[in-house]
Amino acid sequence: MGDYIIEAKGICYRYPCGKDALMGLDLRVERGSKLAVLGANGSGKTTLFLCLNGILRPQSGALCVQGRPVSYARRDLLEWRRRVGMVFQEPDDQVVAGTVMQDIAFGPLNLGLSHEEARMRATDVLHSLQIEHFRDRPTHELSHGERKLVAIAGVLAMRPELVILDEPTAGVDPAGAEQVLEVLETIHRQGTTLVISTHDMDMAYEWADGAAILVGGQTWCQGPVTDVFADRAALRGARLQSPWLLEVARGLQAKGIVTDGAQTIRSRGRLLEMLAGAREA
Amino acid sequence: MHLIDCYAYTNRWQTRHPAEKAAFAGGLLALSLILPLAGSLVVLAVVSAVTLGGARVPPRVYLRTLAIPLVFIAVGSLSLLLSVSFGAQGVHVGLATDQMARATRLLGRAVAAASCLCFLGLTTPALDWLPLLRRLRVPSVIVDIMFVVYRLLFVFIERLAAMHTAHEARLGYASVRSTFRSSGLIGANLLVFALKRARGMEMGMAARGFGPEIPVLPLECKPSRAVMAAVVLVWLVVAVIGLAVQRWFDG
Amino acid sequence: MHIMEGFLPVAHAAGWWAASLPFLVAGTKSLKRIVMEKPSARLLLGAAGAFVFVLSALKLPSVTGSCSHPTGTGLGAILFGPSVMSVLGCIVLLFQALLLAHGGLTTLGANTFSMAVVGPWVAYGVYRAMRGAGASLGKAVFLAAAAGDLLTYVTTAGQLAWAFPDPQGGFVGALAKFLSIFALTQLPLALAEGFLTVLIMNALKAHSADELRALDILPAGGIEQ
């Protein structure tokens, strides 16, 4: 039995308007892992995340954080949200204050920290994300990508153990996306568990340890990334595409250039290495 | 829609404590209402000098901002030169040249006061007033709402501009009728967008543990005693000079 | 119509502040109650305030071919309720003074009285009366918004006339003077804003009735009353 930081069993959620978004969904997030949650639009990813953060309360099913069933009492919710941070897809939903410093301090202040401590935490986070120059800038002057970074910073200032990000690279230019991924790498190295949802199959394949595919409000499959992505039929059924890296690696494997198995090539760099090596041989 | 707040973030005195700026401009604003014409002109001169020389607001920006209330002030002051009365013979409209002094005093006073307002708007980010309002015991529900209004203003202005451009690209303002129609659609869409934003922010804030009140970080600096003393000195000097000059004119 | 900074003499400026205060206090009590029931209503109210502010950026065709801008007070009163609008209106006016140099801090009291108290209450009153009498939504909204604007303009003219009575004609003469001077812009504005408000309400009712339910937490808020 792994150490699961968060575990969902058979959760069902129906929106007030009648839409069934989650229909018996299971998910396990192992501590220290990087999980990519994949699925077509409408498969329930965002609803799932809102349930994992306690914003939506499933009508049925079990949800455990650190092995203990969740409680929706005010004090417990606060502790839950301190442990499990959520970064929304739309940064304007999350960047609520007029200046960056004010916004990043929002979470810590809500947790009851003093003004000085909140300021210190905000300064720390700005430093570790290398965005100190944002400190006193008005939030409305930031670009979409910059606002995403501030949204992430705001959650990190609460020192969560698990950070859930809903489409962290959506709508961001390549340089911005790279910056976001670097930030995720930094916090993962510090021990934070990460869960992201994304449409970018290539990014998910390179980045994640584990993957879960959602279809129609249920988990179709969950497991190590190589296993999940290996099943072409499953991907197609879930209206997802196979990552190009995997396809190219498979092609090279067929040609005999790749001998260790297509799934050993998990990055562009590794592929290029392999090709360079093959050319010399 | 251009919010002058943007200059507040780039001027030299952005980080000075707002209480200092409020005392300076507020005191002079009060003086401009109380002092005679010469006093108002002294206020105008001092505030302009401080805004341009001290806070280093670009002259073009300052003048453009001051020009905004000027139309109303000019029209209003000139109207004092008009006299309308109802008598036995009906309506009598005439020029009241004896009201010149009154009109010029009003003009001077209003422009001086407007310069104080422009100083505040151009040197202090609007958000900086919130901790001050909290200190002044303004009900927290009002300060909270102001916090949210400020943040959303920019989001909505951006959205309105985008919708406006989209309409313009499809000739939405080509005729009176289409202008009304476009504005109506934009207005409705903007409200729906506003409600959506509110709901989104609600979730975003909940995810970060939002409780009963919106916490606002107090400002890091404290008002400098020396500066406050200098401000009081400025008030006194302006009052004395203003009264003296007026005496000299009248005498 | 905003009275610009410093235009009113001290006594009048202070007097209008005093006149607005009871409405602001009552409005704040109302807001406190709403927010106590639902803390997240702050966000809805903030969104409402920002909406009213930004509404004044909309273009309305005007008499001389130029553009004028709506005040949003009539629409605000119908959608959010007049008591709430008193405080929201004051907040909007404060931000308009600081961010647009429209209006003023000394004149905030006078402007609040005319634009955040008289305007919304008149608009709301006309709206309810007409709906009560069975008038259609369009007619009620048009007359409510136009009446709100008109009464605001009359109030502002009154405030100016009281502060600057005519040396011959007294208050009445000055009132006639100010009413005439500003009629050129204010009368067409009242009509135009009336039309605009109808268009907005129709669009809302046709497509967004569900979303508007969010406004039900405001007493006297929402369209269907």
Side-chain angles (χ1 to χ4, degrees):
Chain A
M1 263 277 109
D3 176 13
Y4 296 125
I5 193 170
I6 202 167
E7 207 173 334
K9 285 209 189 91
I11 55 176
C12 297
Y13 185 81
R14 168 180 287 186
Y15 278 100
C17 60
K19 176 171 168 219
D20 281 311
L22 300 179
M23 304 200 276
L25 186 140
D26 301 322
L27 192 80
R28 293 179 315 274
V29 182
E30 218 172 287
R31 187 182 294 279
S33 66
K34 294 191 281 187
L35 176 69
V37 174
L38 310 156
N41 282 338
S43 53
K45 302 193 296 294
T46 302
T47 311
L48 168 64
F49 285 5
L50 292 174
C51 287
L52 293 180
N53 187 245
I55 292 184
L56 296 180
R57 188 170 179 170
Q59 281 90 14
S60 62
L63 200 54
C64 294
V65 172
Q66 313 269 55
R68 296 221 304 268
V70 295
S71 146
Y72 292 87
R74 163 118 194 99
R75 242 231 232 117
D76 300 318
L77 262 182
L78 207 58
E79 178 59 22
W80 181 358
R81 282 163 191 168
R82 187 200 65 73
R83 293 209 165 157
V84 179
M86 164 112 175
V87 178
F88 289 69
Q89 184 177 351
E90 173 57 67
D92 277 338
D93 280 349
Q94 208 147 20
V95 176
V96 302
T99 61
V100 171
M101 172 53 105
Q102 190 76 247
D103 189 71
I104 299 180
F106 182 77
L109 287 173
N110 283 334
L111 290 177
L113 297 178
S114 69
H115 293 146
E116 292 76 32
E117 259 230 72
R119 227 187 276 275
M120 212 163 57
R121 289 241 183 138
T123 309
D124 281 341
V125 164
L126 285 167
H127 178 74
S128 66
L129 264 54
Q130 299 180 320
I131 49 172
E132 284 118 326
H133 51 290
F134 281 9
R135 194 178 193 274
D136 294 313
R137 282 182 62 189
T139 48
H140 56 265
E141 272 180 21
L142 301 172
S143 69
H144 184 79
E146 289 170 337
R147 262 178 247 182
K148 281 230 162 182
L149 289 176
V150 171
I152 295 175
V155 168
L156 292 180
M158 295 169 74
R159 308 237 172 112
E161 290 157 32
L162 162 66
V163 178
I164 304 175
L165 301 105
D166 199 354
E167 309 224 22
T169 54
V172 180
D173 67 19
E178 209 180 301
Q179 211 174 358
V180 170
L181 290 173
E182 260 169 40
V183 164
L184 294 185
E185 204 46 42
T186 308
I187 63 181
H188 183 247
R189 263 199 305 265
Q190 291 165 356
T192 313
T193 310
L194 295 171
V195 174
I196 69 168
S197 78
T198 183
H199 283 300
D200 189 342
M201 300 296 286
D202 301 308
M203 186 265 275
Y205 185 63
E206 286 191 56
W207 176 84
D209 309 332
I213 296 184
L214 299 193
V215 177
Q218 290 177 326
T219 307
W220 195 318
C221 59
Q222 179 180 5
V225 112
T226 42
D227 292 352
V228 171
F229 279 56
D231 193 346
R232 267 206 192 98
L235 291 179
R236 237 194 334 264
R239 284 166 49 200
L240 298 170
Q241 280 185 331
S242 197
W244 70 268
L245 196 55
L246 183 59
E247 292 303 310
V248 168
R250 278 186 178 139
L252 292 175
Q253 187 176 35
K255 279 262 173 343
I257 299 174
V258 166
T259 46
D260 295 332
Q263 68 272 21
T264 57
I265 301 183
R266 291 279 303 283
S267 74
R268 194 189 302 242
R270 181 86 192 92
L271 177 68
L272 292 172
E273 248 174 54
M274 181 114 305
L275 286 174
R279 220 189 334 216
E280 278 166 23
Chain B
M1 184 176 253
H2 185 65
L3 304 184
I4 62 180
D5 200 49
C6 59
Y7 303 111
Y9 284 100
T10 52
N11 86 97
R12 200 156 153 246
W13 285 354
Q14 182 224 331
T15 46
R16 289 229 70 93
H17 199 279
E20 294 170 5
K21 293 179 268 193
F24 173 74
L28 289 182
L29 178 59
L31 281 177
S32 69
L33 291 184
I34 304 172
L35 292 175
L37 177 61
S40 310
L41 294 177
V42 175
V43 167
L44 177 62
V46 168
V47 172
S48 304
V50 165
T51 308
L52 296 170
R56 303 276 173 86
V57 173
R60 215 169 28 137
V61 167
Y62 178 58
L63 289 172
R64 246 210 318 250
T65 310
L66 200 51
I68 298 170
L70 223 53
V71 174
F72 178 95
I73 294 174
V75 169
S77 309
L78 281 175
S79 71
L80 288 192
L81 295 177
L82 225 63
S83 173
V84 174
S85 56
F86 296 91
Q89 295 92 357
V91 185
H92 174 81
V93 178
L95 272 179
T97 40
D98 59 325
Q99 295 296 304
M100 196 56 152
R102 202 169 160 227
T104 30
R105 198 163 63 235
L106 175 59
L107 183 68
R109 172 177 89 203
V111 176
S115 72
C116 296
L117 180 67
C118 292
F119 170 82
L120 284 177
L122 291 169
T123 60
T124 315
L127 215 55
D128 282 357
W129 299 118
L130 297 190
L132 217 65
L133 289 178
R134 275 251 165 89
R135 267 280 198 74
L136 294 173
R137 306 291 189 88
V138 171
S140 74
V141 65
I142 293 187
V143 179
D144 287 354
I145 293 176
M146 288 179 72
F147 182 93
V148 177
V149 168
Y150 183 75
R151 173 74 187 105
L152 287 177
L153 275 182
F154 300 93
V155 177
F156 292 178
I157 289 174
E158 222 175 274
R159 179 73 175 197
L160 185 80
M163 292 198 279
H164 178 82
T165 308
H167 276 248
E168 201 154 47
R170 291 199 282 164
L171 304 175
Y173 299 98
S175 70
V176 169
R177 192 147 166 228
S178 55
T179 302
F180 267 112
R181 192 171 46 218
S182 293
S183 292
L185 288 172
I186 289 182
N189 274 325
L190 192 65
L191 180 65
V192 174
F193 178 72
L195 296 175
K196 249 204 244 167
R197 282 278 105 242
R199 175 85 191 118
M201 268 177 94
E202 191 184 323
M203 293 200 295
M205 281 180 150
R208 287 201 280 162
F210 173 49
E213 234 178 59
I214 297 183
V216 175
L217 273 183
L219 298 146
E220 285 181 273
C221 52
K222 278 195 151 27
S224 148
R225 280 243 184 95
V227 171
M228 291 302 252
V231 163
V232 175
L233 195 63
V234 168
W235 295 348
L236 293 170
V237 167
V238 165
V240 164
I241 295 183
L243 289 169
V245 172
Q246 187 69 36
R247 238 315 171 77
W248 183 72
F249 258 126
D250 295 335
Chain C
M1 211 166 73
H2 300 73
I3 301 182
M4 296 301 165
E5 184 69 275
F7 206 75
L8 290 179
V10 178
H12 287 259
W16 287 113
W17 261 109
S20 310
L21 218 54
F23 294 95
L24 291 175
V25 168
T28 305
K29 281 214 177 83
S30 188
L31 287 178
K32 275 196 180 140
R33 235 173 321 158
I34 296 171
V35 151
M36 191 117 62
E37 253 180 64
K38 192 166 189 245
S40 61
R42 283 175 176 82
L43 298 163
L44 184 67
L45 291 162
F51 170 73
V52 171
F53 183 113
V54 177
L55 208 62
S56 60
L58 280 180
K59 284 217 259 186
L60 285 180
S62 176
V63 164
T64 49
S66 65
C67 279
S68 66
H69 300 280
T71 61
T73 49
L75 182 63
I78 297 172
L79 289 172
F80 313 129
S83 187
V84 162
M85 259 319 276
S86 301
V87 181
L88 282 187
C90 185
I91 293 176
V92 168
L93 287 167
L94 175 58
F95 275 126
Q96 284 176 335
L98 290 171
L99 299 173
L100 296 174
H102 263 159
L105 299 171
T106 55
T107 49
L108 188 59
N111 289 332
T112 299
F113 193 83
S114 64
M115 295 179 75
V117 174
V118 170
W121 277 103
V122 164
Y124 184 70
V126 169
Y127 176 71
R128 288 301 295 268
M130 294 201 62
R131 290 295 270 164
S136 70
L137 183 71
K139 279 212 193 83
V141 166
F142 174 79
L143 281 174
D149 271 4
L150 281 172
L151 264 297
T152 298
Y153 141 68
V154 168
T155 309
T156 309
Q159 292 169 329
L160 292 172
W162 192 355
F164 305 107
D166 194 280
Q168 263 90 40
F171 173 77
V172 178
L175 182 63
K177 182 170 67 184
F178 285 114
L179 280 175
S180 329
I181 291 174
F182 293 113
L184 189 62
T185 49
Q186 297 300 304
L187 291 179
L189 176 64
L191 292 173
E193 185 152 7
F195 276 125
L196 178 70
T197 312
V198 174
L199 288 174
I200 294 179
M201 289 295 259
N202 282 339
L204 286 172
K205 189 137 183 254
H207 306 296
S208 318
D210 278 340
E211 285 91 331
L212 289 182
R213 290 229 189 84
L215 295 173
D216 286 345
I217 58 169
L218 303 174
I223 300 186
E224 297 304 345
Q225 293 143 44

